[in-house]
Amino acid sequence: MSTLFKASLPCLVALGCSCAGSADPGAFRSYLESEPTSLDPAFAVDVSSGVLCSLIYERLVRPGDDLSIEPSLAGGWEVSPDGTVYTFHLREAYFSDGKRITAGDVKHSLERLLRPDVGSPRGWVMAPVVGAEGFRSGRRDSLRGIRAVDERTVEISLKEPFPAFLSMLAMPSASVVPEGRARAAAPDDRRDPICSGPWVLLEWTRGERVTLARNPRHWGPPALDRLVFRIIPERMTQIAEFEVGNLDHLQIPKSDLARWTSDPAWRDRIERQVDLAVVYIGLNNRKPPLDDARVRRALNHAVDAEAIVTRLMNGTAVRARGAVPPGLPGHDPDRPAYRYDVSLARELLARAGYPDGFRMEIWYREGGGADQVLEAIQAYLKDAGVAAVLRAREWGTLKEAINRGVPDAYYLDWYADYPDAENFLYPLFHSDNWGGGGNRARYSDSAVDSLLEEASRVVSSDERYELYLRIDERVYKDAPWIFLWHPVTSEVRQPWVRGDVLHPLFYGQRFTEVTKTGRSGRDAG
Amino acid sequence: MSEYLVRRLIPAVPILLGVTAFTFVLLHALPGDPVLAMAGERFDPEAVASLRSQLGLDKPLHERYLNYMGGLLKGDLGESFVSGRPVSEMVLERFPKTLLLAGAAMLFACVLGLFAGVLSAARPGSIADKVGMMSTFVAVSMPVFWLGLLLIFVVSVKFKLLPPSGYGGVDPRYLILPAVTLGAGSAGLIARITRSAMLEAVSEDYITTARAKGLSEVRVMVKHALRNALIPVVTVMGTDFGSYLSGAVLTESIFGWPGLGRLTLDAILKRDLPVIEGSVLFMAIAFMLVNLLVDVSYAFIDPRVRVEERKGES
């Protein structure tokens, strides 16, 4: 056997040399963890589709690196003093087929999200627009609130002031596609999508890779010629591909971070960024004893989230002191966190009538990598007398069960759809949004409801953020969740990569500034 | 022969009917709403309701099943809930890739397994036999997942001999690692079965006769003993090959191989029912065909097994 192996070695080496690290200075090589479901922005609800849509389609505005909303297809805009009418001025821009992008295209694209024959799950993005209900129900042929004033001016009227609307227009769902197609990249019509973004779709080999090419018609075309996304579901395989130089960057799996940060070769090439996300254990606020705020607070005091973050998660998360993550206006970095105090937790439980604790089930996603932290949480809860039973459930099953309010508690996260504190408070805590709307804890507080309604209408930014800060604080004290942490993403890059930045939103990176210094992948070793 | 094939194919009809009915009912009864999987984390109930009626999921189960079967009889596997593409197209685009991987894995398993098995049987109790059987034991019990990652890290990352993952058609650079990973278990099993079947065969009188005729040992072992030992080996090959066609999910995931297993897994995670139903049906057909092929091959391997005889059995 060993001779056979030795004999085959040179031939393997010969094979290997011709392929390792396909040196391609014109292409940036990235990856996606799963196959995109659709390149139609109206159906892009998963991360892979969102990433691709945000690259091949333009939106009126886009999220800047500091999360402020920046001009994109709209070179500028005005908001009426009462905050209900937005007037966007389109810049001179073209689709990949050479046609000019007009106000009519924008109207069509945004209307599509509400059109009954399209059936987009993202209709809620356009819900604040005047006439949304009538249009969605099919009673009207046109969405009254969106008007193409002239070729290059779009006017959007909202039912009431809603400043977060501008950030919602930065979402991939609000992408601009040409007028005249009900479905932008409909699989049944087999046409390639007509792109408006800095990249265009070159090829999509199912299950394998998606290749984008530079859109020369774009007003800010990318520096590189191509952007290749290989579909690599396995984390360990992603690492291997990066290590041999076949990928230009890598998001380091949390379990593997220590190895990279201690390696002098990679240490300085790692960028870290707190995600616009929050991880929590949602408590079913309708189910006794969790309907008692004292019990919920007791659980927050019982779990030493700080210790889990520092010792177990090795800096791959920062502790949450509310739902709004750092980086968003409305986040309060100085808010005191729940103190880890078992006797206080026991005392609160006793006052609520549970001196001997109680039993509850925590459901979580199977294979989500949360087992270790959940076991730690289980142990903390046990110290306080609460017997937590962990139940792993397949993702689809879990989602359905928590939308219906079945489990006592569930471990879940919430990633920003758009960069605004509103996105972390209104869907998650307003009583109108129980279940699939986002408020899966079935939390209800009339004061929070009216504060949320008030905040969403406030036009002055300072006042608005101040209100969100107060709402976040109130909710935190009321403890509808066990507040855990905000995840931190760490990305490592090959030495030949320049200009790649980690954006806090998954659809924020446009890869237009990225360049490569032309070194081949093989030199990486 | 053709009469035999027809007789063998007739029971396939109720089996396939059973498979479709069972998969359909099971999938539609399982928790996990396909519409919720498509709607994302935040959705409005109106959109979900309209999506549900668009997909026909608001109809009662028996009606949905009849619609599905009606389509099936016309050769229409339906369209994916998620992408809207025809399921048959999705399955046919992935199946050749799975077939290629399964074929390469089986080739590897046969070559290595038969070689090791014959070698062990030729000198039972020798060092070669002990080492061989020990390694086959390891091969059989090694989890695919672990072996795959081990190969990637040793062969690709450490020695940079082959690319860690990806699909390259028949290009051996991309085929070797996944084929070895997938085929290792079968190689071990084939080696062990070949060895025991060979040991049984060499104790037969005709081997003594062959040796007495002065035939070379290689000829005795390969031409006479091996041929008679092949029936159980072919059975194992057939079963394993059939399972490769449907169950290579792990290998396909580790090596980013765009095969049928991954398509099915993705579809399960997204509750894309038509794709799951279509893939399962396709896998069932493939499995039955492989089994039929194995049965037919018995007749060619062993002249004593004649198709005519088997007719009587069924």
Side-chain angles (χ1 to χ4, degrees), chain B residues 256-279:
Chain B
W257 195 269
L260 195 56
R262 254 182 64 201
L263 179 75
T264 315
L265 181 68
D266 274 357
I268 292 172
L269 293 178
K270 288 173 183 161
R271 292 288 191 273
D272 195 348
L273 305 185
V275 177
I276 310 176
E277 286 150 11
S279 322

Side-chain angles (χ1 to χ4, degrees), chain A residues 355-468:
Chain A
D356 303 320
F358 61 95
R359 179 185 175 280
M360 70 173 190
E361 285 190 359
I362 303 176
W363 288 29
Y364 67 105
R365 180 181 185 167
E366 183 155 40
D371 304 70
Q372 209 188 356
V373 291
L374 280 171
E375 276 162 27
I377 290 169
Q378 185 184 35
Y380 279 122
L381 291 175
K382 195 175 167 215
D383 287 346
V386 177
V389 184
L390 303 178
R391 296 247 186 265
R393 289 287 182 272
E394 185 273 335
W395 182 222
T397 316
L398 176 72
K399 233 176 10 176
E400 192 175 334
I402 55 183
N403 283 348
R404 286 195 288 123
V406 175
D408 306 320
Y410 54 90
Y411 174 85
L412 204 67
D413 53 33
W414 179 265
Y415 276 79
D417 296 307
Y418 45 90
D420 198 294
E422 188 266 353
N423 191 215
F424 281 86
L425 295 170
Y426 182 79
L428 292 167
F429 303 114
H430 194 285
S431 59
D432 279 354
N433 295 322
W434 278 17
N439 185 354
R440 294 171 168 103
R442 296 176 140 63
Y443 173 70
S444 171
D445 180 273
S446 53
V448 166
D449 280 358
S450 52
L451 278 170
L452 280 170
E453 286 154 26
E454 184 191 339
S456 68
R457 287 192 294 260
V458 170
V459 180
S460 142
S461 298
D462 290 345
E463 220 179 296
R464 201 163 77 88
Y465 297 140
E466 184 56 40
L467 259 174
Y468 281 131

Side-chain angles (χ1 to χ4, degrees), chain B residues 52-270:
Chain B
R52 180 164 284 126
S53 74
Q54 260 186 43
L55 299 175
L57 285 169
D58 49 352
K59 297 200 180 88
L61 188 65
H62 66 272
E63 203 173 314
R64 275 184 270 160
Y65 182 66
L66 288 179
N67 280 345
Y68 170 65
M69 284 310 289
L72 212 56
L73 289 177
K74 285 181 268 169
D76 178 11
L77 290 177
E79 271 114 43
S80 155
F81 282 171
V82 174
S83 71
R85 299 178 67 213
V87 173
S88 49
E89 185 182 304
M90 294 172 80
V91 169
L92 287 176
E93 145 191 295
R94 301 297 188 96
F95 184 69
K97 295 168 181 168
T98 290
L99 193 66
L100 174 67
L101 177 59
M106 197 32 81
L107 184 72
F108 163 77
C110 289
V111 171
L112 193 69
L114 288 175
F115 181 73
V118 171
L119 210 67
S120 292
R123 297 272 180 281
S126 69
I127 300 280
D129 181 28
K130 283 185 181 136
V131 171
M133 284 307 106
M134 195 61 205
S135 4
T136 57
F137 187 68
V138 174
V140 171
S141 36
M142 194 144 42
V144 162
F145 199 80
W146 187 77
L147 176 63
L149 291 179
L150 185 78
L151 285 175
I152 288 179
F153 276 91
V154 174
V155 179
S156 302
V157 177
K158 198 90 189 142
F159 294 107
K160 305 210 180 327
L161 299 175
L162 292 170
S165 72
Y167 175 76
V170 289
D171 186 339
R173 288 173 304 180
Y174 291 95
L175 199 49
I176 291 175
L177 292 188
V180 168
T181 304
L182 185 59
S186 299
L189 198 59
I190 290 173
R192 296 183 80 83
I193 289 176
T194 308
R195 179 181 179 271
S196 61
M198 287 281 284
L199 285 179
E200 201 179 306
V202 289
S203 64
E204 300 280 341
D205 291 344
Y206 60 83
I207 295 294
T208 322
T209 317
R211 282 194 175 128
K213 282 198 294 188
L215 294 180
S216 75
E217 190 60 20
V218 174
R219 208 177 151 85
V220 171
M221 291 306 267
V222 175
K223 183 94 183 158
H224 293 263
L226 183 61
R227 181 157 180 176
N228 285 292
L230 268 185
I231 289 218
V233 176
V234 168
T235 312
V236 169
M237 285 178 192
T239 332
D240 277 10
F241 188 70
S243 71
Y244 289 173
L245 294 181
S246 54
V249 181
L250 282 179
T251 312
E252 289 182 359
S253 293
I254 301 168
F255 292 97
W257 195 269
L260 195 56
R262 254 182 64 201
L263 179 75
T264 315
L265 181 68
D266 274 357
I268 292 172
L269 293 178
K270 288 173 183 161

Side-chain angles (χ1 to χ4, degrees), chain A residues 7-200:
Chain A
S8 63
L9 210 57
C11 103
L12 282 177
V13 172
L15 282 170
C17 287
S18 56
C19 70
S22 55
D24 194 347
F28 189 79
R29 300 159 306 166
S30 186
Y31 61 95
L32 298 167
E33 280 194 0
S34 62
E35 177 94 350
T37 48
S38 175
L39 291 185
D40 184 335
F43 291 88
V45 293
D46 59 309
V47 171
S48 295
S49 308
V51 166
L52 293 172
C53 284
S54 69
L55 295 169
I56 62 174
Y57 303 110
E58 227 11 282
R59 291 93 86 198
L60 288 170
V61 292
R62 65 184 158 95
D65 292 343
D66 61 349
L67 295 176
S68 63
I69 296 301
E70 292 180 353
S72 201
L73 178 61
W77 63 86
E78 293 109 40
V79 188
S80 67
D82 68 348
T84 57
V85 182
Y86 288 73
T87 310
F88 294 95
H89 305 285
L90 308 191
R91 65 172 93 212
E92 187 159 337
Y94 297 88
F95 285 112
S96 54
D97 64 355
K99 291 212 183 77
R100 187 152 164 196
I101 303 179
T102 65
D105 295 313
V106 175
K107 178 175 164 66
H108 160 76
S109 305
L110 298 179
E111 273 182 352
R112 241 165 43 91
L113 298 177
L114 283 173
R115 265 171 61 170
D117 57 330
V118 172
S120 164
R122 282 288 161 93
W124 56 265
V125 175
M126 286 296 124
V129 176
V130 169
E133 282 72 27
F135 182 67
R136 173 151 48 190
S137 64
R139 275 182 279 125
R140 289 182 192 278
D141 314 334
S142 168
L143 180 55
R144 265 192 303 143
I146 304 182
R147 212 158 62 86
V149 178
D150 59 41
E151 277 277 282
R152 285 166 66 179
T153 313
V154 182
E155 194 186 270
I156 303 181
S157 313
L158 306 184
K159 295 169 202 159
E160 51 185 15
F162 180 46
F165 183 70
L166 194 61
S167 335
M168 286 164 88
L169 291 178
M171 291 171 63
S173 319
S175 292
V176 176
V177 296
E179 200 174 353
R181 280 187 175 193
R183 295 202 49 171
D188 49 307
D189 69 9
R190 308 294 156 103
R191 288 177 294 184
D192 284 336
I194 296 175
C195 304
S196 51
W199 301 92
V200 294

